[in-house]
Amino acid sequence: MTSRYLSIEGIARRFSAGGKRTTVFEDLWFAMDKGDFACIIGHSGCGKTTVLNILAGLDAPDDGVVAVDGKAIEGPSLDRAVIFQSHALLPWRTVLGNVSYAVSSRHPRWSRDQVRAHALKFIELVGLKGSETKHPAELSGGMKQRVGIARALSIEPKILLMDEPFSALDALTRGTLQDEVRRICLETAQTVFMITHDVDEAIYLADRIVLMTNGPEAVIAEIVENPLPRDRRRLDIHKQPDFYAVRNHLIDFLVERSRTFKASLPDGYQRRHPPRVRPSAAPNPTPDGDARAA
């Protein structure tokens, strides 16, 4: 095991159907430090959700191991919270009831008052103070996702896993929730692993962006270090000198290199140590293949 907070070590996932065996991905390696925010991007079929399910303990790798804080993942745990594309709220419970249910699961010996106070803190954190007694049917889509975020954060997980949590929302609500998630994660130093298909979302939220090639037999092509400052703001992110450099790099990968990468591996490529790149708008940039961080 490595000393990294989250360590994905040589995992593989294979499926059999109709007598045919398909390898979704094999020999994936990736690690995160505590407080990191990582997004994973790739086309449908490359295994992004399968990786997230393995991290959540909802699936198991055929090979390799995943560890969080030095402990191998062997099933679901309250140390890992998942926010899905749909809010998945209990319709018969109020906002407070949904969040309290999670808190009670995490702290079964707490009194009702302790549970309530803790739940209310996270309801306020996501901007839902005053809506505690509403049921899901009385909430907008964005408010429901806020409840899901509050519920996940209320158990104070070691890792927050997000599977395209904003994909079903309108653009304005989506942007607002992205702002809220970024603010909360910066304030709480929450470690986050997120799936997204949205390049701009990844650039805004993530410290590192994991690029996966097309499946089957997908691999991690490279890990992009976000060159933008951590105190970036949505309103002026496009004014950052490196914004278009990193955006064009990601789009180029998704449009072209994601399907050709495996056929022409860069010199020195190792699955155990995927290249780290840091796109920059500096004059005379270093070619991608050599722009690797230490």
Side-chain angles (χ1 to χ4, degrees), residues 31-294:
M32 293 174 63
D33 289 325
K34 189 173 183 179
D36 279 355
F37 195 128
C39 280
I40 185 168
I41 288 182
H43 290 288
S44 297
C46 70
K48 303 183 301 299
T49 297
T50 302
V51 172
L52 186 138
N53 287 339
I54 289 172
L55 293 177
L58 303 174
D59 199 354
D62 293 296
D63 297 319
V65 67
V66 179
V68 174
D69 198 15
K71 183 177 180 181
I73 293 175
E74 297 179 345
S77 167
L78 290 174
D79 284 342
R80 284 160 273 122
V82 184
I83 301 175
F84 298 100
Q85 293 182 36
S86 61
H87 50 80
L89 302 180
L90 301 176
W92 60 90
R93 286 181 175 265
T94 63
V95 170
L96 178 59
N98 270 278
V99 180
S100 295
Y101 183 78
V103 176
S104 297
S105 299
R106 182 64 156 172
H107 302 287
R109 296 186 179 181
W110 277 12
S111 68
R112 179 175 295 181
D113 287 343
Q114 284 176 302
V115 169
R116 177 184 174 85
H118 191 77
L120 287 174
K121 180 176 75 172
F122 286 91
I123 290 170
E124 182 174 359
L125 186 66
V126 299
L128 285 179
K129 184 176 181 180
S131 300
E132 298 87 351
T133 60
K134 293 183 178 180
H135 287 80
E138 302 173 86
L139 304 176
S140 68
M143 293 175 74
K144 291 174 184 176
Q145 280 299 73
R146 286 176 184 264
V147 179
I149 294 168
R151 180 178 58 187
L153 293 173
S154 71
I155 64 173
E156 298 176 301
K158 292 182 176 180
I159 300 285
L160 180 62
L161 305 169
M162 299 198 292
D163 186 2
E164 297 190 76
F166 315 127
S167 60
L169 302 175
D170 64 87
L172 183 58
T173 303
R174 183 176 191 161
T176 300
L177 281 184
Q178 289 170 352
D179 290 341
E180 288 296 307
V181 166
R182 178 156 180 78
R183 175 185 62 80
I184 292 168
C185 290
L186 288 175
E187 289 178 359
T188 63
Q190 178 67 57
T191 307
V192 183
F193 184 90
M194 176 178 173
I195 293 174
T196 183
H197 282 100
D198 188 324
V199 166
D200 292 331
E201 180 172 81
I203 296 171
Y204 179 52
L205 293 176
D207 302 309
R208 286 187 286 163
I209 303 163
V210 182
L211 303 182
M212 288 192 70
T213 64
N214 292 1
E217 300 183 9
V219 301
I220 294 177
E222 60 190 32
I223 299 168
V224 178
E225 303 282 354
N226 194 336
L228 304 188
R230 282 183 64 86
D231 61 350
R232 54 190 176 269
R233 299 189 312 147
R234 175 184 303 282
L235 291 177
D236 57 13
I237 189 173
H238 64 287
K239 298 177 184 177
Q240 296 291 336
D242 292 329
F243 173 76
Y244 286 105
V246 67
R247 190 176 193 274
N248 290 341
H249 185 87
L250 298 180
I251 291 176
D252 174 69
F253 176 82
L254 291 172
V255 172
E256 181 66 23
R257 293 192 299 122
S258 60
R259 60 184 176 83
T260 63
F261 184 87
K262 290 181 292 183
S264 55
L265 295 176
D267 292 340
Y269 174 81
Q270 299 178 44
R271 293 192 182 194
R272 186 163 185 166
H273 303 288
R276 294 175 180 267
V277 302
R278 189 180 182 87
S280 172
N284 301 318
T286 304
D288 289 343
D290 296 324
R292 301 180 187 180

